[in-house]
Amino acid sequence: MEMLGPRVWSSVRQGLNRGLSRNVGGWASGEGRKVDIAGIYPAVTTPFTATAEVDYGKLEENLHKLGNIPFRGFLVQGSNGEFPFLASNERLEVVSCARQAMPKDKLLLAGSGCESTQATVEMTVSMAQVGADAALVVTPSYYRGRMSSAALIHHYTKVADHSPIPVVLYSVPANTGLDLPVDAVVTLSQHPNIVGIKDSGGDVTRIGLMVHKTRRQDFQVLAGSAGFLLASYAVGAVGGVCALANVLGAQVCQLERLCLTGQWEDAQKLQLRLIEPNTAVTRRFGIPGLKKTMEWFGYYGGPCRAPLQELSPAEEEALRLAFTNNGWL
């Protein structure tokens, strides 16, 4: 593994000293309940300088601004964090920087997934040491043809067995070409250190089925995008990890409140105004679109790492329209 920066070593020492003393530690608590991950989390971007170095100062600035919104916590090194483009030491430095910049009462979810089980275990342990409260583990997918339910159950069980922090499953078929099978999710929900799943597929019947089939387990389902957040709450999901929350965080949290208090008519009106902007910063224009939008809302967006390219002028105009047509710009 690459040399770790001084910031990471300092966090490793703090993490080892802290152990699992925080009330979000792995494994079931004394009452037999797992950590509660319910709530809204922005899927935080990784800022880069013009020369494609990670800009830790801008990451801190963005997190300080986002810290004023009533999120449950933050996800770093998810798909929006461009984690496949980062070296191992950069991934850990980002987690360390986020932990130090975030309010202490917020949960830090960190994407620790790698292609091999061994690398995922090592990354998860390292991320725990630098301050992650829970690990979001994406499905390995390079050999997707061999990623049967049995292979995925084995992978996640090994990771959860060795992780000092709770594990959240992560299914994102748009990026991996692989849906984590519901039968595998049901089996894994019984593991004492697997606390939930982030499902980004957008299939609400699947989300409802997972909620239904894991109802006897202490297992929580998070929607992976703001476009189907209301529908997910309606079938029993408990929150969302949303790219859109980087720019319309207060509005996504408002939608959460409306759903939780049963104000479905107002929730529907708000949800409908979020669908088009959400699609624009996810499926349609991806991370380059999200980073461009962040600049319009007073955050640092900046460039992506190659091979991701900036938007064309025509794409930027279409992106802007997705927000102006719904009254957000």
Side-chain angles (χ1 to χ4, degrees):
M1 188 180 280
E2 298 86 343
M3 290 293 289
L4 300 182
R7 188 206 302 269
V8 170
W9 277 122
S10 135
S11 289
V12 168
R13 282 195 298 273
Q14 289 170 19
L16 292 173
N17 291 338
R18 185 175 66 232
L20 292 177
S21 59
R22 302 178 65 175
N23 60 7
V24 289
W27 311 103
S29 68
E31 300 82 52
R33 283 193 62 80
K34 299 176 185 176
V35 59
D36 181 9
I37 57 170
I40 301 297
Y41 304 77
V44 175
T45 58
T46 301
F48 296 105
T49 66
T51 54
E53 298 299 317
V54 178
D55 194 328
Y56 298 102
K58 295 298 185 190
L59 177 59
E60 288 176 11
E61 283 179 25
N62 283 345
L63 286 168
H64 284 145
K65 290 177 183 173
L66 290 167
N68 296 318
I69 298 168
F71 296 126
R72 176 68 176 98
F74 301 92
L75 166 66
V76 296
Q77 295 301 291
S79 300
N80 285 298
E82 297 176 62
F83 76 88
F85 298 166
L86 269 60
S88 298
N89 64 316
E90 291 176 317
R91 290 178 71 177
L92 293 175
E93 190 90 17
V94 165
V95 175
S96 169
C97 175
R99 178 74 271 166
Q100 292 171 54
M102 281 168 49
K104 294 290 178 276
D105 61 333
K106 306 282 189 186
L107 277 184
L108 177 57
L109 307 187
S112 65
C114 303
E115 281 298 312
S116 80
T117 303
Q118 182 178 338
T120 305
V121 167
E122 290 173 4
M123 182 60 75
T124 303
V125 170
S126 296
M127 285 186 169
Q129 289 170 345
V130 296
D133 293 316
L136 185 80
V137 181
V138 70
T139 49
S141 61
Y142 187 80
Y143 299 108
R144 70 178 57 82
R146 297 297 297 167
M147 289 299 106
S148 61
S149 283
L152 292 165
I153 289 168
H154 181 267
H155 173 74
Y156 280 109
T157 300
K158 287 287 185 202
V159 173
D161 283 348
H162 290 92
S163 175
I165 53 177
V167 170
V168 179
L169 312 174
Y170 181 22
S171 184
V172 55
N175 290 351
T176 62
L178 183 70
D179 249 329
L180 184 53
V182 172
D183 67 294
V185 173
V186 173
T187 299
L188 290 166
S189 72
Q190 298 166 47
H191 193 291
N193 203 31
I194 295 177
V195 298
I197 183 169
K198 176 195 178 199
D199 193 295
S200 299
D203 181 345
V204 175
T205 59
R206 174 184 149 90
I207 288 174
L209 195 59
M210 287 190 293
V211 169
H212 182 57
K213 286 182 172 289
T214 63
R215 67 192 181 280
R216 292 190 179 88
Q217 306 302 326
D218 197 356
F219 186 82
Q220 295 176 305
V221 178
L222 298 174
S225 197
F228 49 92
L229 191 58
L230 180 153
S232 298
Y233 272 113
V235 295
V238 299
V241 182
C242 309
L244 189 65
N246 284 287
V247 291
L248 294 177
Q251 291 82 356
V252 176
C253 288
Q254 184 188 357
L255 179 56
E256 173 197 29
R257 274 194 307 279
L258 292 170
C259 291
L260 292 177
T261 53
Q263 299 178 67
W264 295 108
E265 198 173 325
D266 288 342
Q268 183 193 42
K269 287 175 186 168
L270 179 53
Q271 175 68 88
L272 292 175
R273 291 176 61 212
L274 295 176
I275 292 173
E276 196 178 2
N278 182 76
T279 302
V281 299
T282 54
R283 282 203 309 276
R284 196 169 173 202
F285 301 118
I287 304 167
L290 175 58
K291 285 187 166 181
K292 176 56 67 177
T293 309
M294 287 173 69
E295 292 172 3
W296 299 337
F297 283 85
Y299 299 94
Y300 178 81
C304 295
R305 262 198 181 157
L308 285 178
Q309 299 288 294
E310 289 190 18
L311 301 184
S312 68
E315 287 175 324
E316 190 175 325
E317 181 55 30
L319 174 66
R320 187 180 286 276
L321 280 174
F323 282 83
T324 54
N325 288 348
N326 291 279
W328 301 121
L329 278 174

